[in-house]
């Protein structure tokens, strides 16, 4: 409604001011060239009243030496103040009302500058230029406030995962603004705003490690960056292509961290043992001599392997799957992706363990209790049963 009212006001102002300008130029024989001082003085006296002159000269009159503009600024001395008040009301109709005001003014000024009936030097264009600056200032303040809101949004300590309020708020603004600017002639200000807000959303997600969440932080960050990436893929906003790629990269990074951190749990002691083996080799111990180290002897390796019979590994993986299923948000549908990534990482670790056994414990006959085929069947059966 406020958009239609503003458009109507602007439509009615144009012919009114243009006709008045044409009359003054014809009646007082004024042109775009500067008039003689005596003509200008007489003209101002003729159209000015005590009421109008009681107020200070307008900024338009002070800023311009154009006699036509000086005269019109006296005739319409209250126009700028009235328009400011009207724009203020339009801004308050909706939390993001300043967007609609900016688009409407931008389009109106653009149309007038291309109109032969209202040349760029006209009085109305000068007034609307001032209003456009005011609208841009209101828009920038709104974006600044929203950026601060996104960055300072507190994450509930009891949060179990899911999409952050700042991410939802960002999406709400983008959806609304894209609808408003859908037919806009210019969107430079909106593109700058989108980039600022996307930066604030990323800062909000990045601040999660300090929120002392009760769940895995990498999991929540993974889900939120994934959500932002999917949203930006859907919206196809050119200026946010870089942010879309960054969101995908961050989502992948945190999924990798999440997978590796949780994968250490089913084979924790085996992981710890072989990390020690790799550390000894890195320190210069020959591979064939590692088994002579007391903590990494063949006997110690057998003890660790005995703790992970195939049956227990499958049980531990099932427990892990249920835990991940419990905490991942169903809306993001990341469970199949994460579980597959876990399977790939688990296979990589298994192959690494086997390789280290062959290199550092050659001829010992030591093998793990489960084979690669067993491992694949564990993951397959867990997936099918859930």
């Amino acid at each position: 409604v406020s958009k239609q009212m503003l458009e109507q006001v602007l439509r009615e102002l144009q012919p009114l001011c243009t006709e008045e300008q044409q009359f003054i130029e014809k009646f007082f024989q004024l042109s775009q060239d500067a008039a003689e001082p005596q003509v200008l003085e007489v003209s101002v006296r003729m159209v000015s009243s005590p009421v109008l002159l009681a107020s200070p000269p307008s900024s338009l009159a002070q800023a311009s030496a154009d006699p036509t503009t000086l005269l019109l600024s006296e005739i319409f001395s209250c126009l700028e103040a009235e328009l400011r008040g009207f724009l203020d009301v339009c801004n308050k109709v909706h939390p993001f009302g300043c967007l609609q005001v900016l688009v409407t003014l931008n389009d109106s000024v653009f149309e007038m500058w291309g109109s032969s009936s209202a040349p760029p030097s006209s009085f109305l264009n000068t007034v609307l230029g001032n209003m456009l600056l005011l609208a841009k200032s209101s828009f920038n303040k709104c974006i600044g406030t929203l950026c601060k809101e996104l960055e300072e949004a507190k994450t509930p300590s009891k949060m179990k995962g899911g999409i952050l309020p700042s991410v939802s708020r960002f999406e709400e603004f983008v959806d609304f603004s894209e609808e408003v600017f859908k037919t806009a002639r210019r969107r430079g200000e909106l593109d700058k705003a989108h980039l600022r807000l996307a930066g604030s959303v990323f800062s909000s997600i990045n601040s999660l490690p300090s929120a002392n969440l009760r769940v895995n932080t990498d999991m929540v960050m993974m889900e939120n960056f994934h959500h932002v990436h999917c949203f930006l893929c859907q919206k196809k906003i050119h200026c946010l292509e870089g942010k879309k790629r960054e969101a995908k990269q961050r989502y992948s990074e945190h999924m990798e961290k999440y997978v590796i951190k949780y994968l250490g749990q089913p084979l924790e002691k085996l992981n710890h043992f072989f990390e020690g083996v790799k550390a000894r080799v890195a320190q210069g111990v020959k591979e064939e001599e590692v088994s002579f180290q007391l903590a990494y002897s063949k006997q110690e390796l057998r003890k660790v392997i005995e703790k992970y019979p195939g049956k227990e590994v499958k049980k531990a993986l099932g427990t892990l799957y249920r835990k991940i299923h419990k905490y991942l948000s169903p809306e993001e549908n990341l469970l199949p992706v994460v579980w597959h990534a876990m399977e790939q990482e688990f296979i990589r670790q298994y192959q690494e363990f086997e390789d280290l056994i062959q290199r550092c414990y050659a001829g010992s006959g030591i093998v793990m209790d489960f084979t690669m085929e067993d491992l694949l069947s564990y993951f397959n059966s867990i997936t099918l049963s859930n």
Side-chain angles (χ1 to χ4, degrees), residues 304-314 369-370 378:
V304 177
I305 286 178
E306 284 173 4
K307 296 179 184 293
Y308 295 100
K311 185 179 178 181
E312 290 301 316
V313 170
K314 182 179 180 182
D369 186 62
F370 53 94
Y378 298 160

Side-chain angles (χ1 to χ4, degrees), residues 45 47-57 73-75 77-78:
R45 282 178 181 173
V47 299
S48 300
S49 70
V51 175
L52 290 176
L53 294 176
S55 59
S73 67
E74 291 295 343
I75 295 170
S77 62
C78 62

Side-chain angles (χ1 to χ4, degrees), residues 279-295:
R280 292 296 182 276
V281 173
Q283 289 166 6
V285 177
K286 292 181 180 179
E287 290 180 350
E288 60 270 19
E289 294 177 2
V290 170
S291 62
F292 295 108
Q293 301 267 323
L294 188 60

Side-chain angles (χ1 to χ4, degrees), residues 133-373:
L133 289 175
L134 184 66
K136 288 181 179 180
S137 175
S138 298
F139 176 77
N140 288 331
K141 284 178 184 176
C142 173
I143 299 304
T145 302
L146 187 54
C147 283
K148 190 175 179 182
E149 178 189 325
L150 296 180
E151 290 170 15
E152 296 179 356
K154 291 185 178 179
T155 306
S157 58
K158 294 181 180 180
M159 182 177 176
K160 293 182 179 180
I163 304 311
L164 296 170
S166 58
V167 172
S168 300
R169 184 73 167 144
F170 169 72
E171 291 181 356
E172 177 191 346
F173 175 84
V174 171
D175 282 334
F176 180 82
S177 62
E178 284 297 314
E179 184 62 30
V180 171
F181 275 76
K182 186 165 59 178
T183 57
R185 294 173 181 268
R186 301 173 182 176
R187 53 172 292 140
E189 287 87 1
L190 182 63
D191 287 343
K192 291 176 187 175
H194 279 341
L195 284 169
R196 283 180 67 189
L197 290 166
S200 295
V201 166
F202 279 43
S203 296
S204 172
I205 301 173
N206 288 332
S207 67
L208 276 175
S210 61
N212 297 318
L213 298 182
R214 294 184 180 182
V215 292
N216 183 274
T217 303
D218 284 311
M219 180 197 76
V220 184
M221 295 176 80
M222 169 190 72
E223 287 193 315
N224 279 274
F225 277 121
H226 176 263
H227 192 83
V228 171
H229 175 256
C230 291
F231 176 73
L232 294 181
C233 284
Q234 175 195 347
K235 302 310 287 187
K236 297 178 182 177
I237 300 170
H238 181 70
C239 72
L240 292 178
E241 282 296 310
K243 288 294 181 184
K244 183 179 76 176
R245 289 191 295 271
E246 185 182 346
K248 184 178 181 180
Q249 181 185 345
R250 298 301 307 282
Y251 144 66
S252 299
E253 287 173 2
H254 287 288
M255 183 169 71
E256 185 179 341
K257 289 180 183 178
Y258 178 57
V259 166
I260 290 172
K261 181 170 181 178
Y262 271 74
L263 268 177
Q265 293 176 356
L267 304 175
E268 188 173 1
K269 290 184 173 62
L270 263 177
N271 268 295
H272 183 70
F273 183 88
F274 283 113
E275 284 297 324
V277 170
K278 287 190 289 183
R280 292 296 182 276
V281 173
Q283 289 166 6
V285 177
K286 292 181 180 179
E287 290 180 350
E288 60 270 19
E289 294 177 2
V290 170
S291 62
F292 295 108
Q293 301 267 323
L294 188 60
Y296 301 101
S297 66
K298 296 173 186 176
Q299 185 179 359
E300 288 300 315
L301 175 56
R302 286 191 180 96
K303 284 181 182 178
V304 177
I305 286 178
E306 284 173 4
K307 296 179 184 293
Y308 295 100
K311 185 179 178 181
E312 290 301 316
V313 170
K314 182 179 180 182
K315 183 179 177 182
L317 286 173
T319 303
L320 180 61
Y321 182 93
R322 288 188 292 275
K323 186 174 183 181
I324 297 167
H325 181 270
K326 178 181 178 182
Y327 289 112
L328 281 178
S329 305
E331 309 89 64
E332 292 305 296
N333 195 31
L334 280 176
L335 181 58
V337 181
V338 171
W339 188 242
H340 178 70
M342 287 203 161
E343 181 179 4
Q344 295 302 306
E345 179 61 18
F346 212 102
I347 290 169
R348 186 198 66 77
Q349 285 189 11
Y350 179 87
Q351 290 172 334
E352 183 181 43
F353 296 163
E354 276 201 325
D355 181 56
L356 286 168
I357 291 172
Q358 290 172 7
R359 282 159 45 199
C360 302
Y361 302 88
S364 66
I366 299 174
V367 292
M368 284 184 277
D369 186 62
F370 53 94
T371 64
M372 176 69 77
E373 289 72 22

